[in-house]
Amino acid sequence: LSDNILKFGAGLKKLGLAERTHIAVIGENRVQWGLSYLTMMCFNYVIVPIDKNLHSNEILNIIHESDAEAVIFSETYEQLFVEKKSSLKKLKFLISMDRRKDENGILSMTELINNSNRIEVRDLPKINPDELAEIIFTSGSLGRAKGVMLTQKNLASNLMSMVSMLFIHPEDRFLSVLPIHHTYECTCGFLCPLYAGASAHYARSLKTVVDDLQKVKATLLLGVPLLFDKMYKRIYKAIKDDKVKSVVVPMLVKSTDFMKQVGMKDIKKKIFKELHQKFGGSIRVFIAGGAAPDPLVAKGLRDLGFNFIQGYGLTETSPILTLNPINNFKDDAAGLPLPGVTIKINNPDSDGIGEVWAKGPNVMPGYYKNEEATKNTFEDGWFKTGDLGYVDEDGFLHISGRKKNVI
């Protein structure tokens, strides 16, 4: 990985792409996407990850708005960029993840790597951690997409704080399911395992998640609540449809609850071993984000020996603000603030509910070329999330709705 990054960066420099140049990346969850991302970070470029599910006009608009001078893409988008390159005045280079050689004005990522001499680590650019490193465009129901600016300090601080609350072992294996352009998957499912010396593996599709969990023997799975809802329903339907299991499993859940209380921590994994094997037999924790999971689903999975926790955050906060620790969780809460993050409830009502404001080294400096939106999002140094919530007596944040209708 290191060799390919050092060669790819050298190849981009050879093309004349100077430090701080904006480079867009679009494609499926794959090794070449991760390699591109890490190269941008090491060589002091600004990466613009684009949602692969956007319409053509939205993709082109982001390339234009972000001032990207190059785009790295998978073959799905080749025709679009070949046809529309002339309309994007700043775009100079098209770099394909899939082509094996340069042709028809399209550069091959493979050739750029193979034909470049590896730069020595000591010769890498000096990074200013407070400078812009990434622009992520978030879609909103009101007005045009906003480009969230993140720095390397934002991302690094979030990684370090997160790992201090949820320890990641070198032997952990993450299965990557969610779109990698999104900060939740990119920071937590891609950068986090690399930072901790663990490994990230890519699921073939959402339909193959269970098969891929078995194949990889994954220990961690990040998902949205809908993914875990489907798992939960599938498991409990199989139990309910089996005359013996429908009677025995509830009894085993109760008895193993008692055994756990008297110190037999791994008893559920042993008793429900057959079920755990269907998910690869190595799952250490399921982590839900992106929306609030159903507490019944969390409890149902935990009853069968699966650790299940949730976190909360936004693209603007790199993304995690709060997380439930494995051994100190509340299924109806968004979690405790990460170390370094301060949460404040602004103008709480009689129930203690108000807008959630946040401060911390993971909070973005602002929106790209959009001073008005930046000004409206900050007040006295606090980032206004737009979410309504309250903090309970134990310090857990609870989200109760949105202040305004934003998708």
Side-chain angles (χ1 to χ4, degrees):
L1 178 62
S2 171
D3 268 6
N4 283 325
I5 289 167
L6 295 169
K7 285 181 177 180
F8 189 34
L12 294 174
K13 280 183 76 172
K14 207 161 58 177
L15 291 176
L17 290 167
E19 286 179 40
R20 315 304 303 140
T21 298
H22 297 192
I23 300 176
V25 180
I26 185 168
E28 305 74 26
N29 289 19
R30 54 190 289 181
V31 171
Q32 290 86 346
W33 197 104
L35 178 59
S36 301
Y37 184 98
L38 295 170
T39 302
M40 304 302 109
M41 291 291 171
C42 289
F43 281 81
N44 204 20
Y45 293 116
V46 175
I47 185 169
V48 184
I50 302 178
D51 182 350
K52 66 183 177 66
N53 294 319
L54 289 177
H55 294 299
S56 300
N57 286 343
E58 293 171 303
I59 293 169
L60 297 171
N61 189 47
I62 286 173
I63 289 173
H64 169 71
E65 293 267 345
S66 67
D67 301 313
E69 293 183 29
V71 58
I72 303 166
F73 55 89
S74 65
E75 60 187 346
T76 312
Y77 306 94
E78 183 173 306
Q79 190 179 347
L80 171 68
F81 293 132
V82 168
E83 288 175 3
K84 301 293 183 182
K85 182 175 181 282
S86 59
S87 65
L88 297 161
K89 302 303 177 195
K90 287 196 173 180
L91 190 64
K92 298 172 186 169
F93 299 104
L94 302 180
I95 303 169
S96 168
M97 295 179 186
D98 295 295
R99 280 190 175 267
R100 289 282 164 255
K101 57 181 184 175
D102 301 345
E103 55 186 332
N104 304 326
I106 299 167
L107 299 171
S108 157
M109 183 178 180
T110 307
E111 283 222 331
L112 269 175
I113 292 169
N114 291 342
N115 297 339
S116 299
N117 292 322
R118 178 181 182 276
I119 280 182
E120 292 302 316
V121 173
R122 65 173 177 269
D123 296 326
L124 282 171
K126 202 167 177 57
I127 304 290
N128 178 347
D130 292 310
E131 276 189 331
L132 173 63
E134 182 172 16
I135 308 170
I136 304 158
F137 282 81
T138 60
S139 55
S141 59
L142 308 169
R144 63 190 176 93
K146 290 182 289 190
V148 174
M149 298 191 292
L150 295 179
T151 66
Q152 292 210 20
K153 182 181 177 181
N154 290 152
L155 296 162
S157 66
N158 206 231
L159 276 173
M160 292 166 75
S161 297
M162 197 165 42
V163 171
S164 74
M165 280 184 79
L166 177 65
F167 189 78
I168 305 300
H169 305 275
E171 57 272 18
D172 273 323
R173 294 174 296 281
F174 285 62
L175 184 68
S176 179
V177 177
L178 302 174
I180 199 168
H181 77 275
H182 198 283
T183 43
Y184 175 39
E185 181 61 37
C186 189
T187 303
C188 308
F190 168 56
L191 295 178
C192 182
L194 288 178
Y195 170 65
S199 59
H201 305 258
Y202 299 106
R204 290 164 292 170
S205 75
L206 277 171
K207 289 176 183 173
T208 62
V209 169
V210 174
D211 286 344
D212 294 335
L213 284 169
Q214 287 178 345
K215 190 175 180 182
V216 169
K217 298 205 179 305
T219 60
L220 284 97
L221 176 68
L222 275 70
V224 290
L226 185 62
L227 177 67
F228 298 113
D229 282 359
K230 286 183 175 176
M231 277 187 188
Y232 168 80
K233 283 171 183 167
R234 189 169 156 184
I235 291 167
Y236 276 88
K237 185 181 184 301
I239 292 168
K240 192 179 170 186
D241 291 348
D242 186 302
K243 284 181 182 177
V244 177
K245 285 179 182 173
S246 62
V247 175
V248 173
V249 169
M251 289 164 60
L252 287 173
V253 166
K254 282 183 182 176
S255 59
T256 51
D257 282 347
F258 174 74
M259 291 178 196
K260 269 188 85 175
Q261 285 172 1
V262 297
M264 299 171 73
K265 284 190 176 179
D266 290 330
I267 190 64
K268 283 183 179 285
K269 277 195 174 180
K270 289 173 183 169
I271 296 295
F272 299 113
K273 186 180 176 182
E274 184 188 336
L275 174 62
H276 281 253
Q277 289 300 331
K278 287 182 179 173
F279 293 91
S282 301
I283 289 291
R284 190 162 71 80
V285 61
F286 288 135
I287 305 170
D294 183 343
L296 283 175
V297 171
K299 185 184 180 305
L301 290 171
R302 204 176 285 112
D303 280 346
L304 299 171
F306 294 104
N307 283 317
F308 184 96
I309 58 172
Q310 65 166 307
Y312 161 75
L314 302 93
T315 302
E316 289 89 339
T317 57
S318 309
I320 307 297
L321 284 172
T322 63
L323 185 65
N324 274 279
I326 283 186
N327 298 315
N328 178 26
F329 56 82
K330 291 188 180 184
D331 287 335
D332 62 346
L336 295 167
L338 292 190
V341 170
T342 308
I343 296 289
K344 161 180 158 180
I345 304 300
N346 188 55
N347 290 334
D349 63 16
S350 56
D351 295 319
I353 295 172
E355 186 178 9
V356 179
W357 287 14
K359 259 184 187 178
N362 56 319
V363 175
M364 67 164 187
Y367 296 107
Y368 186 61
K369 296 197 301 189
N370 196 336
E371 284 181 26
E372 188 186 353
T374 301
K375 192 177 163 189
N376 292 337
T377 305
F378 287 90
E379 194 165 315
D380 299 327
W382 290 93
F383 169 67
K384 303 189 280 188
T385 67
D387 287 319
L388 295 172
Y390 66 94
V391 175
D392 67 21
E393 64 277 8
D394 299 315
F396 283 79
L397 175 67
H398 297 253
I399 302 297
S400 47
R402 282 295 277 167
K403 188 180 177 191
K404 56 199 177 212
N405 183 28
V406 176
I407 295 171

